[in-house]
Amino acid sequence: QLSCVGQGNPVPKVTWHRKDGNSETAMPISQVVYKETFTEVLALLNIGNLSMADDGIQYICKGDNRDLYDTSVTYRADSSITMQIVQPIEPSISLPSSSSIKSGTPLTLYCSVEGSPPPTITWFLNGVLIDEAVDEVYVTDGSAGVYTCKATNMLGTAEQEVIVENQPSYSGGEIFLILLITAFLLVVVVVMLLILVRRNELERRMKESRAKDELLLENEKRGYTPSISQGQTMPPVTPLENGGEPGALPDENGALPVVSEAECQTPRSILSPRPQTPLSQNPV
């Protein structure tokens, strides 16, 4: 519904017109409601439901009356309005979730708002309305707290909060202490890394030493295993016979090597080579 007020003496005659491009037509009287007084008239135009097809249509309110002393003189006036039809959109807000500033330092907050019709904007600090803060951009006075941007139009309301915190301020002694602690932690980390590297190196060396010992043991076992040609059989082993050493192998003549009492009493590493018994020595 559009309204138009005509004032004059005598009271003017008011009509509504619809202009679409270059075409202009008068609106039917059935769509206009008049309310008249001694000095003015109110004309209400009912245009019904609008659609996107009505975008850009111009409605013109025209009024005219005649001179009281010379009726041949006519006075005219008009006023127009152009319809802008937009798709209604609920308000939405884009605002950073948090920010950090130095105490007392102003901070500029940007509240990006979308909606149709354009929503109205209000700002709050800790739930209290901030007077005269009605724009998308708000500059704080350096106060920390929870700032809320609220957007409202005929379709609904949207709001979003941003937390503003004060940055901690440190004295010279506190800064020196922080640097000292940081340096100490770095030293500890470096020492731990060196210990880890040294430990890995020791483990590697132990594995190499163990592998060498196993290889020597395997070679020793192979060195005391007699070779038997095809068609020959190994002579039977008679442990402890004739004073021989348990598990000893016979020589070429089938005799067991003799181990002296002093040799038996001497500890010997399992990895040390066994002394060879001369082949010419006869067992006792």
Side-chain angles (χ1 to χ4, degrees), residues 255-273:
L256 294 173
V258 178
V259 180
S260 63
E261 181 179 356
E263 183 180 358
C264 291
Q265 293 177 356
T266 304
R268 186 171 57 202
S269 172
I270 190 173
L271 300 180
S272 60

Side-chain angles (χ1 to χ4, degrees), residues 20-32:
D20 186 2
N22 296 325
S23 175
E24 182 178 328
T25 57
M27 298 299 296
I29 299 298
S30 59
Q31 292 185 236
V32 182

Side-chain angles (χ1 to χ4, degrees), residues 93-104:
I93 296 177
S94 176
L95 192 67
S97 58
S98 63
S99 184
S100 179
I101 60 172
K102 291 183 179 180
S103 178

Side-chain angles (χ1 to χ4, degrees), residues 31 77 81-82 84 129 145 180 184 210 228 237 239 243 248 261:
Q31 292 185 236
I81 182 174
T82 302
Q84 292 182 349
L129 177 66
L180 186 62
F184 174 75
R210 191 179 299 110
I228 302 176
V237 178
E261 181 179 356

